[in-house]
Structures are given as C-alpha cells and as structure tokens.
C-alpha cells in the first residue's frame, strides 16, 4: 500500500490506491453485517482478505482439529437405521469433500472399502 503523503503520490501510487479501493468495495459488498463488523477496522484489501481467511479457515491448530474430527467421522461412517443409501451417500460424500478441503485424500480403494 502507498505510504507517501497523498500530495506526493505518483500515477502508479494512485493506481494502486484505486485498485485497493475497488478490491475493498468488492469484499464489502459480499459480506453480511456480522462479518463486516469483524473486518471494518482493516485498512487495506490485503488486511481484509487475511482477516477473512483467519476467521473462515482458522489457524493451523483449528485446521488440525477440523481434520481430526473429519477423519473420525470418516472412520465411524456407517449407514444409520432407516437411512436410505442415497442419504448415506450424500452424508458420506460431504465427509469426503470436507477431508479433501482439509488436505486429506483417500484413494478410491479406501473409500470403496469403507462404503462396503
């Protein structure tokens, strides 16, 4: 971000400031009041993005905890009494998607064995 006094900005500084304002505007328009209240003190689009990433994804410890929970859900996945195969498949697919998002990839063989 531009650190010079505004009167000393070059055309490149003005362009960077304009791009930052456009990015902030886009980010502001995509969030609800609750999320906006958490980032309103951020001064640049980069600061907003980093804060949103931290809020939504969490820190490394949070990610590890989410991964541990998702692995446990995978390990304990069984069809419930009265659950249709379609419902189980949807629930199981959501677990697989969560694991992939957290960086844990199972082979097709491992997934097929688990479903069986």
């Amino acid at each position: 971000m531009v650190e010079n006094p505004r009167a000393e900005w070059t055309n490149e500084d003005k362009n960077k400031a304009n791009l930052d304002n456009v990015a902030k505007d886009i980010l502001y328009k995509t969030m609800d009041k609750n999320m906006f209240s958490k980032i309103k003190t951020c001064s640049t689009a980069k600061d907003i993005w980093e804060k949103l990433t931290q809020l939504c994804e969490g820190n490394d410890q949070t990610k590890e905890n989410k991964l541990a929970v998702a692995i446990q859900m995978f390990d304990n996945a069984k069809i419930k009494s009265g659950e249709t195969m379609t419902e189980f498949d949807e629930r199981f697919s959501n677990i697989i998607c969560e694991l992939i998002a957290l960086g844990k990839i199972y082979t097709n063989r491992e997934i097929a064995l688990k479903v069986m």
Side-chain angles (χ1 to χ4, degrees):
M1 194 59 206
V2 180
E3 296 180 18
N4 302 348
R6 195 172 197 148
E8 298 175 12
W9 283 6
T10 65
N11 283 340
E12 184 179 339
D13 293 336
K14 291 175 186 176
N15 190 29
K16 286 180 184 179
N18 185 48
L19 290 174
D20 187 66
N21 286 334
V22 169
K24 286 192 300 188
D25 186 54
I26 292 168
L27 290 167
Y28 290 153
K29 289 179 179 178
T30 61
M31 58 186 81
D32 60 19
K33 290 180 183 180
N34 182 40
M35 191 61 79
F36 178 76
S37 68
K38 295 176 183 177
I39 59 91
K40 66 183 176 186
T41 59
C42 297
S43 59
T44 66
K46 183 177 187 290
D47 293 340
I48 293 169
W49 187 257
E50 288 172 352
K51 180 74 172 184
L52 288 172
T53 301
Q54 207 276 321
L55 287 169
C56 296
E57 294 181 8
N59 57 26
D60 290 339
Q61 183 65 42
T62 304
K63 289 177 188 177
E64 287 177 27
N65 291 341
K66 287 180 180 180
L67 180 59
V69 169
I71 290 171
Q72 185 176 21
M73 289 173 63
F74 176 84
D75 292 341
N76 296 330
K78 294 182 178 144
I79 194 162
K80 297 176 182 176
S81 178
E83 184 176 40
T84 67
M85 191 60 192
T86 303
E87 292 168 336
F88 172 73
D89 181 58
E90 184 177 331
R91 186 168 54 85
F92 190 71
S93 294
N94 288 337
I95 294 170
I96 297 299
C97 288
E98 179 74 15
L99 287 164
I100 291 169
L102 294 167
K104 177 70 173 166
I105 308 294
Y106 286 100
T107 65
N108 287 339
R109 184 177 193 282
E110 291 171 312
I111 293 170
L113 286 172
K114 183 62 186 170
V115 171
M116 293 167 138

